[in-house]
Amino acid sequence: MGEGEGNRAYGHKPFKRSRSHFSDRITADGREGWPVEAGRYRLVVSRACPWASRALVSRRLLGLEGALSLAVADPLQDDRSWRFTLDPDGRDPVLGISHLAQAYEAREPGHPGGVSVPAVVDVPSGKLVTNDYQQLTLDLATEWTALHRPGAPDLYPEPLREEIDEVMEDVYRDVNNGVYRAGFATGQAEYEEACAGVFRRLEWLADRLAGQRYLVGDTITEADIRLFTTLVRFDPVYHGHFKCNRWKLAENAVLWAYARDLFQTPGFGDTVDFDHIKRHYYQVHTGINPTGIVPLGPDLDGWHTPHDRERLGGRPFGEGTPPGPVPAGEEVPAVPAAGA
């Protein structure tokens, strides 16, 4: 997942997420040696990982599927971390490697730190370019514009960036990362502080979203993407596995409707694989769930039920249009419709 995650030993130190070790940027002018170029790079993700899922959503909304190819790792890791066992012969068909670690090693032999997703790999050299999940999606929105599809939304509009950044910082600290601080806590006080912070922020978000359809402005922005990838995992894993159980997402009318609204928007729900999500968290985090048992619930039918958020107005894609169909080979199993 993002830096600092995985099947690690849990001591008595508070959970702290590591910084991305490789923070090169792929830019329109190539100022860091990595110019935006169709077909040159490969995005490596796990559909289990919320940080990687941001990139999946952004790539779909912006129509970058044809310019930035996709490699999906197995949700279950081995001692070398993310692996390509979902592909024929256990190798990524473009990079020709069995483990993402090989791209890290090609970039910096013996590099410190773990192997995280999302990662962008330079196809010609086989070297990792970046694992900076915070910057990656911002650059997809602002540096890759020449390769965006016609009608692509502006996910990081310049007039709103200060407000978007402020909201995202609060959401990251208390929600995106807060659930991990609660889940990986090794002391009662540490857990209670993190868990309380998660729900304080969720209640603040519910108040904010009660009267507006999206977090900032009247269109979908990067802020919505970053909140969605945590909310969609909340009831399946964070509520039970990470003990963030004061209430379920489905018990908060505003946030549940907001999350369903986004899930039903092309580019969001069609990137979500609940099977990968549940198997990864419950089977990889053996320090928290030593039996490796994956729970049967919760019932996922509700994601397709009406959300009634249209009454708040808003224009999901601004002056743009919805993305097209999911490309062949990138489909994920759909959540069963209610009553199915």
Side-chain angles (χ1 to χ4, degrees):
M1 293 195 169
E3 283 290 288
E5 288 175 41
N7 190 14
R8 60 183 178 86
Y10 303 104
H12 290 286
K13 293 181 179 179
F15 173 77
K16 186 176 182 182
R17 188 171 302 283
S18 305
R19 287 188 172 186
S20 299
H21 181 65
F22 300 98
S23 56
D24 287 9
R25 295 177 59 190
I26 300 168
T27 60
D29 62 7
R31 59 186 176 273
E32 297 191 12
W34 306 106
V36 170
E37 187 179 325
R40 176 170 174 177
Y41 305 100
R42 190 154 175 83
L43 174 65
V44 182
V45 303
S46 164
R47 292 192 186 275
C49 171
W51 321 101
S53 292
R54 298 174 176 182
L56 283 168
V57 174
S58 297
R59 177 175 170 272
R60 281 276 292 129
L61 294 179
L62 299 171
L64 289 169
E65 296 101 330
L68 178 61
S69 67
L70 181 68
V72 179
D74 192 310
L76 302 183
Q77 299 154 298
D78 63 16
D79 58 0
R80 297 180 64 188
S81 193
W82 300 108
R83 53 188 182 156
F84 297 112
T85 44
L86 302 179
D87 294 301
D89 302 320
R91 292 188 173 273
D92 179 78
V94 173
L95 300 174
I97 57 177
S98 62
H99 289 75
L100 178 57
Q102 291 165 266
Y104 278 68
E105 284 294 309
R107 170 68 184 273
E108 184 182 318
H111 72 94
V115 175
S116 66
V117 289
V120 178
V121 179
D122 178 48
V123 174
S125 68
K127 294 180 179 180
L128 178 78
V129 177
T130 181
N131 65 347
D132 188 345
Y133 63 96
Q134 298 281 49
Q135 187 62 45
L136 173 58
T137 47
L138 298 179
D139 284 343
L140 291 181
T142 59
E143 297 288 340
W144 289 67
T145 52
L147 299 177
H148 288 180
R149 65 178 175 88
D154 185 353
L155 299 175
Y156 196 46
E158 200 157 354
L160 298 177
R161 286 182 189 176
E162 185 175 348
E163 185 179 359
I164 291 171
D165 289 346
E166 185 178 321
V167 170
M168 291 193 305
E169 182 179 351
D170 290 340
V171 168
Y172 172 80
R173 182 187 62 246
D174 298 332
V175 180
N176 300 147
N177 202 46
V179 293
Y180 285 90
R181 290 177 50 240
F184 290 153
T186 55
Q188 187 69 31
E190 176 194 346
Y191 156 73
E192 289 184 9
E193 179 187 7
C195 187
V198 169
F199 285 93
R200 274 197 306 271
R201 183 60 58 189
L202 289 177
E203 287 160 359
W204 179 87
L205 288 163
D207 286 344
R208 183 182 183 94
L209 289 164
Q212 62 190 63
R213 191 170 178 184
Y214 304 111
L215 277 173
V216 183
D218 67 346
T219 66
I220 291 166
T221 68
E222 175 80 13
D224 298 292
I225 296 172
R226 294 190 181 192
L227 178 57
F228 172 79
T229 59
T230 295
L231 294 184
V232 80
R233 288 162 173 77
F234 201 87
D235 288 2
V237 289
Y238 300 147
H239 180 270
H241 184 57
F242 279 177
K243 304 180 185 69
C244 293
N245 61 357
R246 282 186 53 200
W247 38 263
K248 294 179 180 177
L249 177 69
E251 294 168 348
N252 184 291
V254 172
L255 292 181
W256 178 222
Y258 166 79
R260 297 198 321 277
D261 185 5
L262 291 176
F263 185 88
Q264 294 169 29
T265 299
F268 284 84
D270 53 33
T271 69
V272 175
D273 191 323
F274 284 110
D275 173 62
H276 280 206
I277 290 168
K278 288 173 63 174
R279 286 196 290 127
H280 173 81
Y281 280 91
Y282 287 105
Q283 294 186 314
V284 171
H285 295 161
T286 54
I288 300 173
N289 188 39
T291 64
I293 292 172
V294 181
L296 291 175
D299 186 347
L300 300 172
D301 285 355
W303 284 101
H304 289 290
T305 58
H307 51 76
D308 194 34
R309 296 280 293 177
E310 299 96 341
R311 64 184 170 76
L312 296 173
R315 304 167 300 144
F317 302 101
E319 301 301 320
T321 56
V326 176
E330 293 188 11
E331 306 92 345
V332 295
V335 175

